[in-house]
Amino acid sequence: MTRYIVFDVETPNRYNNRISAIGISVVEDAKIIKEYFYFVNPGQRFDWFNTQLTGISAELVADAPTFPQLWKVIEPVMNSGILVAHNASFDMGVIRKCLRDYGIAWKPQVRGLCTVVMGRRLCPGISHRLNDLCDYYGICLNHHHADSDSRACAEILLRYMEMGAEPEKFVRVYNMW
């Protein structure tokens, strides 16, 4: 069975080139087997909007690890399966910018899939916003909290698999450098 690394990032400001939190849910054998959550000190200022949206402030993450420190911890997990995100181009893009800006060498490309793209093909005619899908499927969501968002995305992926979808058919290659 394929292993999926479902993740969600929160950002401190409109530049979307740093993270202030990351949630990771590992899916294997059609169930969530492990979850991770980390605050991250982005070393950048927070926009008021982002703080209001996520509840994360500079004070909250002042003692949190920086991205390079955290990357040493999460890289083995991120390497261990197909990456999955809801609106993957955003989350993959933020990770790509962090890696680039901090000069961290990783794979030039990764395999990943987007549950928005997957859902639009499988369930046309409904909204594919994360909160709307959670309402539709009865999934608990504390929106814009990375741990809750990654778990919700994992639950949505599992719903699609229960419908008979083959996620591997939706995998694409994302450039990471």
Side-chain angles (χ1 to χ4, degrees):
M1 173 75 45
T2 306
R3 182 177 168 104
Y4 301 97
I5 310 306
V6 186
F7 75 102
D8 181 78
V9 300
E10 302 301 336
T11 61
N13 54 47
R14 67 185 155 273
Y15 302 112
N16 298 326
N17 62 358
R18 294 290 185 275
I19 65 173
S20 53
I22 186 167
I24 303 170
S25 299
V26 180
V27 173
E28 203 172 89
D29 296 324
K31 60 183 169 253
I32 298 169
I33 62 162
K34 189 122 179 144
E35 295 181 278
Y36 305 89
F37 173 76
Y38 301 97
F39 283 119
V40 182
N41 184 335
Q44 287 186 351
R45 69 176 184 76
F46 280 73
D47 285 348
W48 179 88
F49 175 81
N50 294 63
T51 297
Q52 294 303 303
L53 186 68
T54 66
I56 303 170
S57 65
E59 296 77 27
L60 182 64
V61 300
D63 295 326
T66 62
F67 182 82
Q69 293 166 329
L70 181 62
W71 186 250
K72 293 174 186 173
V73 174
I74 66 171
E75 180 184 15
V77 177
M78 299 294 275
N79 273 327
S80 70
I82 296 172
L83 299 180
V84 179
H86 198 74
N87 190 14
S89 61
F90 173 81
D91 296 273
M92 296 282 196
V94 174
I95 294 290
R96 181 180 59 249
K97 290 173 190 173
C98 285
L99 291 166
R100 180 198 64 210
D101 291 354
Y102 283 111
I104 299 170
W106 194 40
K107 306 174 197 181
Q109 298 178 321
V110 297
R111 294 179 53 199
L113 69 90
C114 177
T115 52
V116 172
V117 171
M118 193 174 180
R120 285 183 179 149
R121 289 216 190 116
L122 297 171
C123 307
I126 65 169
S127 170
H128 294 281
R129 292 176 30 195
L130 186 62
N131 58 318
D132 292 336
L133 284 174
C134 287
D135 288 345
Y136 182 80
Y137 287 115
I139 297 169
C140 184
L141 176 67
N142 189 1
H143 204 14
H144 300 296
H145 290 251
D147 52 346
S148 182
D149 288 0
S150 70
R151 180 170 186 94
C153 182
E155 294 280 356
I156 290 166
L157 176 66
L158 291 171
R159 296 298 196 291
Y160 294 159
M161 292 167 71
E162 289 168 5
M163 292 170 45
E166 297 176 49
E168 292 80 9
K169 292 184 177 179
F170 294 89
V171 172
R172 62 169 281 222
V173 174
Y174 290 85
N175 292 320
M176 298 306 288
W177 194 248

